Amino acid sequence: MIRACTVDELPPGESVRIPGTPAIAVFHTDDGELYAIDDTCTHQDASLADGWLEGCFVECPLHAALFDLRTGVPTCLPAKEPVRTYAVVVDEGVVYVRDAAKEDAA
C-alpha cells in the first residue's frame, strides 16, 4: 500500500496527488468518503487532483471532463476513456491507497 497522507491533512472537499507511475489522486468528498483514481485525465494530460470536486465527481481543470470517483467512468465529453480506481484504506488516522487498481474498475 502507498501512504497518501493523514486524515487531518486531507479535509473534506480537498484532494492530494501521490507522485509515481502512474500518479494517483486521492479525494475526500464532503460526505466523508475517500476515493482514489489515476491522477491524469484520459482526454489530455491534466492533473485531476487540480480539478473541482462536486460530490462523487471530479471535473478536469483543462477541458471540464467529469469523472465519477466511484467507477472512474467519464460522464461527459471530451473524455471517453475511464481512469483506474484504487481502494483506499484508513489505518490509525493514515490514508493509504492499494497500489493495484481495483479488479472491477471500468
Side-chain angles (χ1 to χ4, degrees):
M1 289 196 294
I2 303 167
R3 184 186 189 283
C5 59
T6 66
V7 174
D8 293 338
E9 294 170 333
L10 187 59
E14 297 294 323
S15 61
V16 65
R17 182 179 189 272
I18 304 171
T21 306
I24 298 171
V26 181
F27 298 89
H28 191 175
T29 63
D30 286 331
D31 64 1
E33 295 295 321
L34 293 163
Y35 297 98
I37 61 174
D38 280 345
D39 183 51
T40 305
C41 179
T42 56
H43 168 250
Q44 198 167 26
D45 291 341
S47 171
L48 294 174
D50 291 337
W52 295 274
L53 189 58
E54 302 172 20
C56 290
F57 300 89
V58 63
E59 182 179 322
C60 176
L62 197 56
H63 293 113
L66 198 64
F67 292 89
D68 188 324
L69 297 173
R70 299 165 293 188
T71 64
V73 175
T75 61
C76 65
L77 295 174
K80 296 178 184 175
E81 297 298 319
V83 292
R84 289 177 293 193
T85 61
Y86 300 84
V88 177
V89 176
V90 177
D91 184 25
E92 296 185 15
V94 178
V95 179
Y96 295 95
V97 175
R98 293 199 192 274
D99 56 357
K102 288 183 183 177
E103 293 293 326
D104 61 349

